[in-house]
Amino acid sequence: MTTVIRIKETDNVAVAVRDIAAGEQPLPGLTALDPIPQAHKIALTDIPAGGEIIRYGVVLGYAKDRIPAGSWINEHMLTLPQSPSVDDMPWGTNLVRTEDLPDPPRTTWMGYRNKTGPAGTRNLLGIVTTVQCAAGVLKAAAERIRAELLPKYPNVDGVVAVTHPYGCGVAIKAREAHIPIRAVANVIRHPNFGGEVMVVGLGCEKLTYDMVLPPEDITPDNVLTLQDYAGHDAMMEAILAMADRKLQKLNERVREELPLSELLIGMQCGGSDAFSGITANPSAGYAADMLVKGGATVLFSEVTEVRDGVHMLAARCTGPEVRDKLAAEMRWYDAYLDAGGVDRDANPTPGNKKGGLANIVEKAMGSIAKSGTSPIVEVLSPAEKPTRHGLIFAATPASDIVCGPSQVASGIGLQVFMTGRGTPYGLDIAPVIKVCSRSEMKEHWFDMIDISAGAVATGEKTIADVGTEIFNFILDVAEGVKQPYSDQYGFHNDMCIFNPAPIT
């Protein structure tokens, strides 16, 4: 069995597949000087003070002190390199031809066709608030809708009350306020809501209907203002009556056989470890390549988790305008972090470090792997909708609970989520498939992780094997044939909309 994994010939470190005891020889001629925890790095050669520490063929950082061969390398032993410049990045120097991508085993799927945009993977009644003040009322109403109305409409999969922490007490005309406003507006039109608009406001908030809806949609059929009703019962009756009318229309929707070009999915990772970039993320990237070859659209995100590999992404951009948008999003986020008095290395969590990730550079190299190898055809600002088919970088924060809603606002019908440490994260608007990086994680959370990529590390499976498994599971979930664990248990996170604008 493989004991350590070295990614590139130029790497001077390797990752432990299992715990390695001091004195053990993981490779011929290499003796572990320290106990090396699973997923952590062992020095393959002597590294002088100030010397480069290299993994993925990339400099992760510089040794603070001399590191003898066989030593355990952890986050305390490196200094962070400078982030790469985003100025004048070469573009299009690493474009893979579509015909060279792996062939998808299926090229159609059963989904809910929409008049415009991607198809739905679910048939949901979505009710969106304009302000957090209405959240309590809407949640209570949604419970009644599920109990009293939904049983009459067997073709409707569920009811989603979209509540969020925005709408009032905010600088609504601030420079960056367009980001959360765009997110709310786009969620209202999510593909899984079937074009049925139902928006509930309070009546005195700053986020008014005209900011999230076109004039023709601001009608009594689509919007409901709580302050217009005299008391609890009248309020609830109005919400249930509107919901009933929407459910009647949604119940007429049926799945149709559709091309993959009508499928939009998101790739995200969280609770990552040093195996994420070896097993789970590359396998998801293989599935992404299959989807793109079949005509689907795939989003990947997390600005701080690609920042140190931005030049690699630029090389995959199909044109200078794509490269320029990528650079602009990186600059915006650099300034955003700088204004908060932190840098990109504030990203890794204690769990990431316990899982062997020394810093943000190492985390970024593994994170990028989930994008596969396809050309990048478009770059989106947070919560923007795509205009092209193929692989797209959707700029979002790396925080799981903010990235997910941002991708939802961009219209994903499903998300694939890679994890090394484990997280119960989920979304109620779009199903979330969990892929873990280690066999031990699957054994521990056997009924919460959908697919394990751990066998890639031990050589029992290839990236293509697991990637194909992920591809098939994506289509099964998109079609409603299978349900990921997060949906089976109702593990759904709050709608945490990205709001960089001031709170007043």
Side-chain angles (χ1 to χ4, degrees):
M1 177 179 168
T2 303
T3 306
V4 296
I5 295 177
R6 183 186 195 181
I7 304 295
K8 301 275 190 180
E9 285 297 319
T10 54
D11 292 354
N12 57 8
V13 300
V15 169
V17 174
R18 56 168 175 79
D19 290 347
I20 298 173
E24 190 176 344
Q25 283 198 330
L27 292 172
L30 179 69
T31 301
L33 302 183
D34 312 294
I36 314 294
Q38 183 190 44
H40 283 248
K41 292 173 288 300
I42 183 171
L44 300 178
T45 62
D46 290 337
I47 302 173
E52 297 175 339
I53 296 172
I54 303 171
R55 185 186 173 208
Y56 296 108
V58 171
V59 176
L60 303 184
Y62 303 96
K64 292 181 178 178
D65 301 297
R66 177 179 174 274
I67 301 173
S71 298
W72 172 32
I73 297 179
N74 58 52
E75 72 271 18
H76 304 295
M77 302 166 71
L78 290 76
T79 57
L80 193 69
Q82 288 290 320
S83 57
S85 171
V86 298
D87 296 329
D88 302 317
M89 295 184 294
W91 63 271
T93 59
N94 185 26
L95 296 179
V96 174
R97 298 183 307 169
T98 302
E99 55 265 35
D100 293 333
L101 296 173
D103 291 321
R106 298 150 67 183
T107 57
T108 64
W109 65 294
M110 300 298 292
Y112 293 101
R113 190 189 298 275
N114 288 310
K115 291 180 182 178
T116 60
T121 62
R122 295 293 182 268
N123 186 23
L124 300 169
L125 172 61
I127 314 173
V128 182
T129 59
T130 56
V131 65
Q132 174 63 22
C133 307
V137 172
L138 183 52
K139 288 178 181 178
E143 287 301 316
R144 287 190 57 183
I145 294 167
R146 294 185 189 102
E148 300 171 27
L149 300 181
L150 199 57
K152 298 190 298 181
Y153 303 106
N155 294 333
V156 181
D157 295 321
V159 178
V160 175
V162 182
T163 62
H164 54 83
Y166 194 67
C168 209
V170 297
I172 203 73
K173 296 186 184 299
R175 185 173 60 251
E176 307 300 349
H178 66 280
I179 294 174
I181 293 172
R182 178 171 59 211
V184 175
N186 284 348
V187 167
I188 291 170
R189 295 292 188 181
H190 192 273
N192 287 351
F193 296 162
E196 294 303 319
V197 173
M198 185 168 173
V199 179
V200 175
L202 177 60
C204 58
E205 62 269 29
K206 293 180 179 179
L207 186 64
T208 52
Y209 297 135
D210 60 298
M211 294 182 180
V212 293
L213 290 170
E216 62 270 21
D217 283 344
I218 304 174
T219 69
D221 287 336
N222 296 331
V223 302
L224 186 152
T225 305
L226 298 182
Q227 290 175 351
D228 289 348
Y229 296 89
H232 171 275
D233 290 354
M235 198 180 288
M236 286 293 174
E237 287 171 11
I239 295 173
L240 266 66
M242 182 183 282
D244 196 45
R245 294 192 295 271
K246 301 293 182 182
L247 287 166
Q248 289 175 33
K249 296 178 182 178
L250 289 170
N251 199 52
E252 297 174 0
R253 298 181 84 202
V254 294
R255 290 186 183 271
E256 305 173 41
E257 186 173 12
L258 303 171
L260 285 180
S261 59
E262 295 201 37
L263 181 62
L264 171 59
I265 75 156
M267 294 285 180
Q268 188 185 343
C269 52
S272 300
D273 68 355
F275 284 120
S276 293
I278 298 173
T279 62
N281 288 358
S283 298
Y286 190 91
D289 283 346
M290 284 182 158
L291 287 160
V292 168
K293 186 168 186 178
T297 303
V298 179
L299 307 186
F300 72 107
S301 297
E302 301 164 271
V303 171
T304 49
E305 294 183 17
V306 304
R307 180 65 179 84
D308 282 275
V310 65
H311 51 294
M312 300 176 184
L313 301 187
R316 293 165 58 191
C317 289
T318 55
E321 73 287 353
V322 182
R323 183 273 316 271
D324 291 347
K325 182 74 180 292
L326 176 68
E329 292 298 334
M330 297 298 117
R331 290 191 190 97
W332 185 94
Y333 219 90
D334 285 350
Y336 173 68
L337 292 178
D338 187 61
V342 298
D343 64 21
R344 68 201 194 283
D345 204 38
N347 171 291
T349 67
N352 294 152
K353 294 173 181 178
K354 189 174 181 180
L357 294 174
N359 58 24
I360 189 57
V361 181
E362 185 173 15
K363 190 175 181 182
M365 294 304 111
S367 178
I368 288 172
K370 65 178 177 286
S371 68
T373 63
S374 302
I376 298 170
V377 299
E378 189 172 24
V379 172
L380 305 179
S381 297
E384 275 189 329
K385 290 185 177 182
T387 64
R388 302 190 63 186
H389 295 291
L391 181 68
I392 293 174
F393 178 68
T396 74
S399 166
D400 302 343
I401 58 171
V402 179
C403 175
S406 296
Q407 288 193 349
V408 164
S410 293
I412 62 165
L414 179 151
Q415 189 180 73
V416 184
F417 188 100
M418 282 61 68
T419 185
R421 307 299 297 171
T423 170
Y425 158 92
L427 300 166
D428 51 7
I429 298 177
V432 175
I433 296 168
K434 293 285 176 51
V435 180
C436 69
S437 66
R438 297 178 296 128
S439 299
E440 292 84 355
M441 184 74 252
K442 175 62 174 173
E443 291 165 5
H444 184 60
W445 276 8
F446 56 91
D447 56 356
M448 292 171 64
I449 298 292
D450 299 297
I451 295 173
S452 172
V456 173
T458 58
E460 299 164 88
K461 290 184 179 180
T462 66
I463 287 170
D465 292 335
V466 180
T468 303
E469 183 182 357
I470 293 170
F471 175 92
N472 286 322
F473 199 74
I474 286 170
L475 293 200
D476 286 345
V477 171
E479 294 182 334
V481 173
K482 292 183 179 177
Q483 201 177 29
Y485 285 121
S486 57
D487 278 355
Q488 291 179 38
Y489 301 131
F491 289 167
H492 298 144
N493 286 73
D494 295 334
M495 190 69 177
C496 296
I497 287 175
F498 181 39
N499 174 30
I503 304 293
T504 61

